[in-house]
């Protein structure tokens, strides 16, 4: 089907209404497939109806373009609306992220919109946790919230208000930040994915985002457990690239090598699968680095001009430091790496030589490797391969997206109360905080919610996020939420977290609200998509941004002055004005125009297409979004935002952070050497040969010893369960995974030989037990399971959410201990050993 | 008259099941409860078939999206006692629900198991009925249903072309699965047109059809994976 012109007004009558012949009619009935179709036009022409129903469906159809919100990658969608009802979501061919394609999760959006379990009006629970809900009006709910916030401001403790939100970038994020700044609280937290990969990128390249990869032009992709064909950070981007690399690109065929302990979809579709012992990926990366350095196969030019800490060096105070080269050559001989990883020396050397031969190549992490307790240093080791091979800022390498950060004018003017509150960040005032480099970390919030240290949080908003269910700290969150006087959950469903709130405010789905979405940095070029209501809101829902705006207007005059916008659209206008002033990029275009604009921009041309911000805004709405297809490579001055403005093998930010934390501990009364030991213990690094800053391998923390718990538990989230409410969408439950014929539930995947040795059969119920708990699951033999590793899907086992999610499968997080990757501050989901026995 | 056919490039396919869900959404296929799913009553006009072979570490996996093959010599049409399933002039194997008596001869005759019997009346919670596609009828209990190559889209495209007073072009008509495929692994077009992409790809060295030896002459062709190194398939 070709997509008709996609404007709001593109209303056309169904083809059959225009003229119909007897032949057509018979054909329709004859084929059967469309026999309902003829019900749409007045039947009196064919069959005499006694009385025509009043609201006979007219079959009037129109298409609305918008942006999907099932995951943060923000693909473009087109909704087909017939008689005011959304019947299908398809990809938007003009949206650069997905170019007309759409993953199953996006398509299941219609089941999100029309889900019978959605929240329909605001609810109040009293007492909290009792399960006694009472419908309240929006006014009452907002009055209660405003009253509480006013109290905080008048008592001079605005910092006691906190917000926790799911991952999303755009005008919503900008508004929340602005609100918190104006209100005077530093406690705005976002649950980000792959925090270890972000932290590693921050340490070595200076940006706390995921790196972008130019997959399309790479010759070899060495993926360290990156779920490129599953729930990658931008699944449509990586899947489209995969399709392109497979058959569409001219020239030599690109290869994909997947290093992963599990035979995942990506492993299965890769050219080569390298099954590696879990948690030893860093050793492999450094073993490869060893071969590259030893045989002079690395990009010496890049290393010389754009990296720091490769050779031995001396710091300003005269102390000597060992370089990456010397360190790797001393410690990562392939023989040793082979012992650690379980691979053969030949495999390691072959991988290194292939990488060197195939440039441009990409080493990609950010998936499995971000979930171990040694995640950050592992991601650093993977990143160093890109630097060694010169795969940074070249076509087919790592690139750094130039985003537009929304911060509409006028600037916020926090008053004295707000300024006082903003200074009191949880970490700066915390006495003995852990060295954590990530900027906003939900676990930091949780810690102080429980301890009440350095101060109590008395108001918490949780927006589209479900920490009670989705993290290893579920029980702690449960405990913490009970202690907070006012918890407000903005949610589309009654989630496990919302059940513990005082107020639950129904949030519209992405098909009913308007938002500007800034595609995440992982998509290589900046894309700003317009989410707009495809259908009228079904229930009494309100967009969080509008609620926050209303609250801001009512708390007090300072806040009201900082929010001179009446509606969210006005605020978005301010954001778009910023984009207008960027003087680059273009509205969404088709592929042909894209090439044209790229050519122009490469040569330094840009035509000012719009006379005023208003004209820009109108055009933006018409086209559904803005993007900048041109990426200028190798503007070295602005690429690396590290201290040395180079790629840092030796991350100075980390060394400085440690120095700082050490200093603070000494001031608070620790002896210097003891403080250092304590600090190292806290960040969980032992270092290799005293070297903690360079990328190195350290064994990860694991619950359970090998003798009692012989299997390592790999948890994975299939693409279908990526979205927050996936589990309550029947289509996704029906097609959970493709590698096993499994639907509606969860199971444990075991190597057939292992199962035989344990005298367990396929499809038998077994207990999976770790030191932290046990769950009963169906055993599934799977040839792709490594001996010694069992796998289980993540995202099932809801106790709430809705009729389809509740009680479907088990939540394996109850097996997982509370290990952290302390550098990134993120929970280590892959840190458990289990045993299996008959149930 | 065109003869419609499909080519699925398994080298590009990532097994994401976008096609499966697109088909469910487009064709008003009811979802089943977990209990019914357990006894194999899930209806998937398009299904992802997995073939896992070998033993660790020499494991091989193939993922094959499987719509109706729309065979030129279709076994299902020959056994239908009432002429409910037949091959139309454009090579699409159609199913007339009103004529089907539910004998399930065709479901047994089809070697690809693409025909599904409705054991229950289709049911949706009231809210979810809103997203039904008005172009496609809902099948009652007791009849057999199957992939139609989104035939309603062809009718629509034909109407549109007639309205615009032009001939139907190949690009006017595309089934939902092909439209959604993230890796563009599904090609669809006119097999009679020697210049069409599908005609060209059917002559590719990698082309094969499922159960070729049965002589059903499917109109859905697959292109095999092209793994060069490593633990390769094919």
């Amino acid at each position: 089907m070709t997509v008709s012109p996609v404007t709001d007004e593109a209303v056309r009558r169904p083809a059959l209404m225009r003229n119909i012949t007897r032949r057509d009619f018979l054909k329709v009935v004859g084929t059967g497939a469309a026999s309902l179709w003829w019900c749409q036009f007045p039947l009196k022409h064919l069959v005499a109806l006694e009385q025509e129903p009043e609201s006979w469906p007219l079959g009037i159809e129109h298409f609305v373009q918008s942006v999907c919100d099932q995951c943060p990658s923000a693909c473009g969608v087109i909704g087909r609306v017939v008689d005011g009802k959304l019947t299908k979501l398809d990809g938007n061919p003009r949206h650069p992220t997905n170019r007309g394609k759409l993953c199953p999760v996006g398509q299941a959006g219609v089941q999100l919109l029309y889900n019978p379990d959605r929240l329909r009006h605001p609810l109040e629970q009293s007492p909290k946790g009792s399960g006694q809900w009472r419908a309240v009006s929006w006014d009452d709910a907002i009055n209660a919230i405003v009253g509480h916030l006013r109290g905080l401001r008048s008592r001079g403790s605005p910092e006691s208000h906190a917000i926790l939100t799911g991952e999303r970038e755009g005008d919503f994020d900008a508004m929340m930040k602005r609100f918190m700044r104006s209100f005077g609280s530093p406690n705005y937290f976002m649950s980000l994915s792959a925090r270890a990969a972000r932290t590693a990128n921050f340490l070595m390249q200076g940006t706390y985002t995921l790196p972008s990869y130019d997959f399309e032009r790479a010759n070899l992709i060495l993926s360290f457990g990156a779920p490129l064909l599953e729930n990658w950070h931008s699944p449509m981007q990586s899947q489209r690239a995969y399709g392109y690399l497979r058959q569409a690109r001219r020239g030599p065929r690109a290869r994909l090598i997947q290093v992963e302990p599990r035979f995942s979809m990506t492993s299965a579709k890769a050219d080569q699968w390298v099954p590696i012992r879990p948690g030893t990926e860093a050793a492999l990366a450094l073993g490869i680095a060893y071969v590259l350095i030893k045989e002079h196969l690395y990009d010496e030019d890049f290393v010389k001009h754009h990296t720091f800490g490769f050779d031995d060096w001396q710091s300003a105070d005269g102390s000597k430091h060992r370089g990456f080269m010397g360190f790797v050559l001393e410690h990562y001989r392939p023989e040793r790496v082979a012992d650690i990883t379980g691979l053969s020396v030949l495999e390691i050397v072959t991988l290194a030589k292939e990488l060197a031969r195939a440039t441009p190549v990409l080493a990609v992490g950010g998936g499995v490797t971000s979930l171990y307790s040694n995640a950050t240093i592992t991601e650093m080791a993977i990143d160093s391969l890109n630097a060694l091979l010169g795969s940074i800022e070249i076509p087919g390498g790592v690139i750094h997206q130039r985003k537009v950060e929304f911060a509409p004018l006028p600037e916020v003017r926090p008053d004295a109360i707000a300024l006082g509150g903003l200074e009191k960040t949880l970490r700066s005032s915390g006495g003995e905080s852990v060295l954590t480099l990530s900027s906003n970390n939900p676990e930091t919030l949780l810690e102080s919610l429980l301890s009440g240290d350095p101060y109590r949080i008395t108001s918490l908003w949780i927006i589209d996020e479900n920490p009670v269910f989705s993290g290893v700290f579920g029980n702690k969150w449960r405990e913490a939420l009970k202690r907070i006087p006012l918890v407000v959950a903005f949610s589309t469903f009654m989630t496990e977290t919302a059940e513990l709130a005082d107020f639950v405010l129904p949030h519209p789905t992405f098909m009913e609200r308007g938002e500007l979405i800034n595609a995440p940095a992982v998509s290589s070029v900046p894309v700003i998509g317009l989410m707009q209501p495809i259908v009228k809101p079904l229930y009494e829902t309100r967009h969080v941004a509008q609620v926050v705006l209303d609250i801001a207007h009512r708390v007090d005059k300072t806040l009201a002055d900082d929010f001179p916008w009446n509606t969210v659209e006005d605020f978005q206008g301010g954001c778009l004005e910023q984009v207008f002033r960027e003087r680059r990029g273009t509205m969404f275009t088709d592929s042909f125009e894209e090439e044209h604009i790229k050519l122009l921009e490469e040569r330094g041309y840009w035509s000012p297409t719009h006379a005023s911000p208003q004209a820009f805004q109108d055009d933006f709405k018409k086209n559904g979004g803005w993007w900048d297809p041109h990426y200028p490579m190798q503007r070295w001055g602005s690429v690396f935002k590290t201290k040395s403005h180079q790629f840092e093998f030796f991350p100075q930010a980390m060394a400085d952070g440690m120095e700082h934390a050490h200093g603070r501990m000494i001031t608070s009364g620790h002896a210097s050497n003891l403080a250092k030991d304590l600090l190292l213990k806290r960040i969980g690094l032992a270092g290799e040969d005293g070297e903690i800053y360079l990328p190195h391998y350290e064994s990860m923390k694991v619950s359970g010893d090998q003798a009692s718990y012989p299997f390592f538990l790999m948890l994975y989230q299939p693409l279908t369960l990526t979205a927050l409410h996936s589990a309550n969408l029947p289509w996704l439950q029906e097609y959970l995974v493709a590698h096993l014929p499994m639907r509606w539930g969860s199971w444990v995947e075991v190597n057939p030989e292992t199962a035989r040795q344990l005298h367990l059969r396929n499809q038998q119920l077994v207990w999976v037990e770790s030191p932290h708990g046990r769950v009963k699951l169906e055993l599934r033999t799977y040839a792709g399971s490594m001996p010694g590793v069992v796998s289980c899907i993540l995202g099932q086992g809801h106790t709430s959410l809705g009729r389809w999610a509740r009680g479907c499968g088990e939540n394996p997080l109850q097996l997982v201990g509370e290990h952290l990757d302390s550098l990134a501050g993120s929970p280590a989901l892959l840190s458990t050993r289990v045993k299996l026995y008959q149930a | 008259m065109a003869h419609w056919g499909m080519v699925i490039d398994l080298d590009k396919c990532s097994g994401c099941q976008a096609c499966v869900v697109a088909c469910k959404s487009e064709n008003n296929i009811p979802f089943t409860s977990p209990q019914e799913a357990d006894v194999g009553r899930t209806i998937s006009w398009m299904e992802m078939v997995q073939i896992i072979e070998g033993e660790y570490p020499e494991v091989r996996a193939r993922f094959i999206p499987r719509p109706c093959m729309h065979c030129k010599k279709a076994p299902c049409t020959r056994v239908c006692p009432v002429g409910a399933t037949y091959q139309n002039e454009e090579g699409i194997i159609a199913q007339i629900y009103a004529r089907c008596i539910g004998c399930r001869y065709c479901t047994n005759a089809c070697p690809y198991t693409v025909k599904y019997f409705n054991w229950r009346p289709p049911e949706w919670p009231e809210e979810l009925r809103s997203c039904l596609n008005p172009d496609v009828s809902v099948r009652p209990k007791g009849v057999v249903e199957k992939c139609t190559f989104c035939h309603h889209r062809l009718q629509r495209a034909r109407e549109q072309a007639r309205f615009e007073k032009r001939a139907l072009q190949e690009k006017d008509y595309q089934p939902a699965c092909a439209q959604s495929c993230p890796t563009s692994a599904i090609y669809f077009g006119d097999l009679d047109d020697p210049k069409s992409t599908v005609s060209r790809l059917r002559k590719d060295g990698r082309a094969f059809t499922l159960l070729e030896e049965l002589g059903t002459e499917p109109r859905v062709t697959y292109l095999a994976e092209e793994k060069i190194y490593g633990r390769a398939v094919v």
Side-chain angles (χ1 to χ4, degrees):
Chain A
M1 187 192 82
T2 55
V3 177
S4 313
V6 276
T7 57
D8 291 14
E9 311 86 53
V11 176
R12 58 185 199 85
R13 287 145 63 84
L16 270 177
M17 283 181 70
R18 271 178 236 118
N19 61 18
I20 198 155
T21 62
R22 184 177 170 277
R23 203 170 158 237
D24 280 336
F25 174 66
L26 289 179
K27 223 185 271 174
V28 174
V29 180
T31 49
S35 48
L36 196 83
W37 208 7
W38 52 263
C39 292
Q40 291 169 36
F41 66 92
L43 270 185
K44 60 188 170 191
H45 300 305
L46 306 165
V47 187
L49 272 183
E50 282 186 5
Q51 201 174 8
E52 202 171 310
E54 268 174 41
S55 58
W56 199 260
L58 294 169
I60 292 180
E61 173 188 53
H62 68 280
F63 294 89
V64 184
Q65 56 184 347
S66 183
V67 169
C68 175
D69 187 38
Q70 294 276 52
C71 79
S73 66
C75 293
V77 295
I78 291 179
R80 176 179 177 228
V81 183
V82 183
D83 292 331
K85 288 171 178 169
L86 175 65
T87 62
K88 184 138 200 307
L89 284 175
D90 284 309
N92 181 355
R94 285 164 65 85
H95 196 286
T97 305
N98 57 327
R99 286 274 177 226
K101 307 301 181 182
L102 199 60
C103 78
V105 188
Q107 298 193 51
V110 292
Q111 291 196 330
L112 178 70
L113 174 66
Y114 293 115
N115 205 295
D117 298 323
R118 280 184 56 186
L119 292 170
R120 300 171 190 221
H121 40 71
L123 293 169
E124 186 185 4
Q125 180 177 227
S126 79
K128 181 154 53 183
S130 64
Q132 298 191 348
W133 295 93
R134 180 170 73 85
V136 288
S137 70
W138 270 100
D139 282 344
D140 288 349
I142 290 179
N143 282 340
I145 297 168
V146 169
H148 194 86
L149 292 180
R150 276 192 193 141
L152 292 182
R153 293 262 303 169
S154 62
R155 284 196 297 276
S157 56
E159 72 279 0
S160 299
H161 173 58
I163 295 182
L164 173 67
T165 151
E167 184 175 346
R168 50 162 68 177
E169 294 175 67
D171 73 304
F172 166 81
D173 184 35
M175 182 177 285
M176 292 301 136
K177 280 186 183 144
R178 188 181 179 94
F179 177 81
M180 290 303 262
R181 188 162 164 71
S182 179
F183 185 77
S185 169
N187 295 318
Y188 174 62
F189 297 90
M190 191 184 278
S191 303
L192 293 171
S193 55
R195 266 182 270 153
R198 290 168 199 268
T199 308
N201 200 33
F202 168 72
L203 291 175
M204 304 186 100
Q205 311 196 41
T207 325
Y208 190 78
T209 57
L210 289 162
S212 336
Y213 301 100
D214 186 5
F215 293 120
E216 272 92 345
R217 289 185 280 185
N219 283 335
L220 194 159
I221 298 166
L222 179 63
S223 152
F224 288 84
L228 296 174
L229 301 183
E230 291 133 288
N231 61 334
W232 179 241
H233 308 287
S234 183
M236 283 300 93
Q237 182 217 11
S238 58
Q239 294 218 16
R240 277 181 54 228
Y242 173 83
Y244 177 76
L245 290 176
R246 277 298 185 233
Q247 290 295 333
R249 192 173 82 165
R250 290 181 187 195
R253 180 185 162 89
R255 295 193 63 213
L256 169 62
I257 302 178
Q258 183 78 357
V259 180
E260 192 177 352
R262 197 174 70 82
F263 192 63
S264 62
M265 287 303 285
T266 317
S267 308
K269 296 301 293 189
D271 295 279
Q272 187 184 341
W273 173 43
V274 182
I276 189 169
R277 214 169 272 161
T280 64
E281 285 86 345
L284 174 63
L286 294 167
I288 291 171
Y290 175 95
V291 181
L292 293 174
I293 296 170
K294 190 80 176 172
E295 305 210 357
H296 292 279
L297 295 171
Y298 64 97
D299 187 335
E300 293 185 34
D301 191 57
F302 181 88
V303 168
K304 191 170 159 207
H305 292 107
H306 304 297
T307 66
F308 170 84
F310 185 71
D311 298 306
D312 296 351
W313 56 287
Q314 211 168 3
S315 56
D317 61 6
S319 56
K320 284 193 175 147
H321 295 270
R322 189 137 57 129
F324 180 74
M325 177 169 76
F327 177 69
V328 167
L329 288 182
E330 184 180 336
H331 292 285
Y332 295 98
R333 292 182 64 81
E335 291 81 357
R336 177 170 177 245
V337 172
D339 280 347
I340 299 172
T341 58
L343 304 174
S344 72
V345 173
L346 183 69
E347 273 179 293
I348 297 161
V349 176
T350 314
L351 276 177
K353 294 201 168 172
E354 265 185 65
L355 280 176
R357 208 169 39 224
T359 50
V361 300
L362 277 170
V364 186
V368 171
T369 46
S370 271
L371 299 175
Y372 298 126
S373 70
N374 61 5
T376 305
I377 48 169
T378 303
E379 299 287 0
M380 281 165 65
I382 297 167
D383 269 2
S384 2
L385 285 182
N386 287 321
L388 275 182
L389 292 156
S391 289
I392 296 178
E393 291 290 307
I394 56 164
V398 178
I399 52 184
H400 297 78
Q401 202 210 96
R402 298 180 306 148
K403 294 182 77 126
V404 185
E405 296 290 346
F406 290 145
L409 295 173
E411 271 182 35
V412 190
R413 287 180 306 271
D415 59 10
I417 303 171
L419 286 174
L422 285 169
E423 274 174 18
K424 296 180 194 152
T425 62
L426 288 179
R427 263 186 292 121
S428 68
S429 26
E432 300 195 355
S433 72
V434 174
L435 173 92
T436 294
L437 295 150
S438 76
S439 48
N440 56 3
N441 205 327
E443 281 70 29
T444 317
L445 171 66
L446 177 61
E447 207 178 301
S448 61
L449 285 179
L450 287 171
S451 63
D453 179 57
Y455 48 81
R456 274 190 78 207
I457 301 283
T458 57
S459 161
L460 174 67
W461 297 353
I462 300 178
I463 303 168
D464 271 351
E465 180 60 6
N466 190 2
V468 172
F469 172 79
S470 58
V472 292
F473 297 111
N475 287 333
K476 282 194 173 171
W477 274 107
R478 209 179 281 274
E479 194 49 45
L481 292 179
K482 283 182 196 153
R483 297 189 195 171
I484 306 169
L486 183 67
V487 180
V488 181
F490 295 85
S491 182
T492 310
F493 289 87
M494 183 58 82
T495 61
E496 287 82 354
T497 304
E499 277 178 349
L500 300 167
D502 295 280
F503 285 97
V504 179
L505 303 180
H507 194 214
T509 64
F510 69 89
M511 289 145 283
E512 302 160 289
R513 65 174 199 258
E515 208 167 309
L516 294 179
I517 307 264
N518 218 336
V522 65
S523 60
S524 43
V525 291
V527 178
I528 297 168
L530 174 68
M531 179 191 290
Q532 51 184 341
I534 297 177
V535 292
K536 287 198 193 98
L538 297 187
Y539 307 117
E540 253 185 77
T541 54
R542 282 193 201 172
H543 184 7
V544 189
Q546 186 62 52
V547 176
V548 171
L549 206 53
D550 293 346
I551 290 174
H553 288 159
R554 288 174 54 185
V555 170
D556 59 29
K557 180 140 186 341
T558 322
L559 265 87
D561 288 348
D562 278 336
F563 285 86
W565 304 279
N566 283 325
T567 61
V568 180
E569 287 77 51
D570 297 343
F571 181 79
Q572 290 170 348
C575 296
L576 286 177
E577 198 167 326
Q578 264 184 290
V579 185
F580 170 72
R581 297 199 195 294
E582 287 273 315
R583 299 180 64 76
R584 62 181 170 120
T586 169
M587 294 302 160
F588 283 174
T589 51
D590 53 36
S591 327
F592 175 75
E593 254 180 279
E594 169 186 347
E595 290 309 317
H596 181 223
I597 286 157
K598 263 193 207 165
L599 280 175
L600 285 177
E601 284 202 55
E602 266 163 35
R603 284 157 184 74
Y605 294 103
W606 180 80
S607 60
T609 39
H610 303 91
S612 67
Q614 190 54 44
F616 181 87
Q617 202 176 324
D618 293 344
D619 208 23
F620 180 89
K621 283 202 173 130
K622 206 172 101 202
N623 285 287
W626 170 97
W627 72 309
D628 186 3
H630 171 56
Y631 179 76
M633 299 273 178
Q634 307 192 345
R635 300 231 169 123
W636 294 114
S638 61
V639 170
F640 301 118
K641 298 189 176 68
T642 50
K643 200 170 171 188
S644 61
H645 294 288
Q646 287 179 319
F647 181 95
E648 295 192 348
F649 284 110
F650 181 97
Q652 299 188 71
M654 185 170 159
D656 292 351
M658 280 288 277
E659 207 57 45
H660 187 67
H662 188 216
R664 243 191 1 235
M665 286 177 80
I666 292 173
T667 353
S668 63
H670 289 82
S672 173
N673 54 344
L674 286 178
K676 187 140 199 181
D677 288 348
L678 198 60
L679 202 55
L680 285 179
K681 211 173 146 202
R682 286 228 184 103
I683 61 168
L685 288 184
E688 178 134 56
D689 194 15
E691 195 51 80
I692 59 161
Y693 301 120
L694 288 172
H696 61 278
Y697 165 71
E698 277 188 24
S699 56
M700 60 173 168
K701 284 174 256 172
V702 179
S703 297
D705 60 294
Q706 184 139 16
S708 329
Y709 300 97
F711 306 105
F712 185 79
L713 179 67
M714 287 294 289
L715 301 174
Y716 67 98
Q717 192 163 43
L719 173 64
T720 42
L721 292 180
T722 308
L724 190 60
H725 309 302
S726 272
N728 207 40
L729 308 182
W731 285 337
L732 301 180
Q733 286 282 8
E734 270 190 317
Y735 302 101
L736 276 177
V737 294
H739 67 282
L740 285 170
M742 299 301 286
R743 317 168 193 273
W744 297 99
S746 54
W747 59 93
V748 57
E749 291 164 26
V750 181
N751 183 291
E753 183 58 26
T754 309
R756 207 181 52 79
Q757 286 165 4
L758 293 171
H759 305 294
L760 295 173
R761 292 182 322 276
N762 192 21
Q763 301 189 30
Q764 172 181 9
L765 281 177
V766 293
W767 284 107
V768 180
E769 185 177 320
S770 82
H772 306 284
R774 65 174 194 171
V775 291
K776 200 194 272 183
L777 291 169
E778 183 182 335
L779 181 142
R780 276 277 162 170
T781 54
Y782 178 50
S785 279
M786 265 176 104
V789 176
V790 298
S791 331
C792 184
I793 59 168
L794 203 55
Q796 294 280 46
H798 280 274
T799 53
S800 187
L801 198 64
R803 63 190 73 181
W804 292 296
R806 200 181 304 125
C808 187
E810 294 285 345
N811 189 353
L813 287 174
Q814 41 189 308
L815 301 174
V816 179
E818 297 177 351
H819 296 294
L820 275 180
D821 167 33
S822 310
L823 274 179
S826 61
L829 298 188
L830 304 180
S831 61
T832 314
R833 302 191 72 90
V834 294
K835 60 182 171 190
L836 303 178
Y837 52 92
Q838 195 176 344
Chain B
M1 191 60 79
H3 277 91
W4 303 102
M6 187 179 274
V7 175
I8 302 178
D9 191 338
L10 299 181
D11 202 29
K12 285 174 129 187
C13 172
S14 65
C16 72
Q17 309 199 76
C19 51
V20 179
V21 173
C23 178
K24 281 284 233 209
S25 175
E26 178 75 17
N27 291 301
N28 298 339
I29 305 173
F31 50 86
T32 42
S33 65
Q35 294 73 29
E36 285 176 74
D38 279 349
V39 292
R41 288 183 183 173
T42 303
I43 300 180
S44 317
W45 291 8
M46 175 64 120
E47 187 166 34
M48 190 63 68
V49 178
Q50 61 282 95
I51 302 171
I52 313 277
E53 292 172 323
E55 281 175 19
Y56 176 87
E58 304 295 328
V59 197
R60 299 181 276 192
R62 292 189 99 166
F63 302 100
I64 302 179
R66 189 239 54 206
C68 170
M69 298 292 135
H70 294 276
C71 312
K72 206 166 179 178
K73 296 184 178 156
C76 60
T77 58
R78 298 179 187 195
V79 296
C80 181
V82 292
T85 184
Y86 71 104
Q87 182 160 177
N88 76 11
E89 57 212 348
E90 288 171 287
I92 294 174
I93 308 292
Q95 186 89 18
I96 306 170
Y97 308 126
R99 200 178 282 174
C100 177
I101 55 168
C103 68
R104 285 172 279 146
Y105 286 4
C106 61
T107 48
N108 291 319
C110 173
Y112 307 102
T113 65
V114 304
K115 306 202 108 180
Y116 292 87
F117 182 68
N118 281 281
W119 290 91
R120 296 170 57 84
E123 279 165 359
W124 289 270
E126 194 47 42
E127 293 86 345
L128 274 173
R129 298 190 73 89
S130 296
C131 62
L132 292 182
N133 183 357
D135 296 353
V136 179
S137 63
V138 169
R139 283 75 55 184
K141 177 181 170 178
V143 304
V144 169
E145 61 179 75
K146 65 180 287 295
C147 156
T148 60
F149 269 169
C150 288
H151 186 261
H152 55 285
R153 288 188 172 205
L154 171 60
Q155 290 173 318
R156 212 186 145 94
R158 195 174 279 140
E159 288 293 331
Q160 185 71 29
R162 189 181 302 163
F163 178 65
E164 290 168 13
K165 296 197 169 54
R166 59 176 176 82
L168 181 73
Q169 291 161 354
E170 195 185 75
K171 65 173 170 47
D172 292 341
Y173 166 39
Q174 201 183 184
C177 52
Q179 186 189 354
S180 71
C181 178
T183 59
S184 306
I186 304 181
Y187 304 88
F188 189 79
D190 181 4
L191 299 176
D192 278 357
D193 174 5
K195 286 185 197 138
S196 69
T197 314
V198 281
S199 298
R200 185 172 53 77
L201 288 173
R202 264 161 79 101
K203 296 192 197 96
D204 193 285
R206 296 188 288 129
F208 71 97
T209 56
L210 291 183
L211 304 177
E212 215 159 333
E213 66 279 13
L214 298 180
T216 53
E217 298 182 27
R219 289 196 180 84
V220 176
T221 307
Y222 292 91
L223 302 177
E225 298 88 340
E226 196 178 290
K227 290 192 178 178
I228 310 172
Y229 309 89
R231 296 161 181 142
V233 180
V234 182

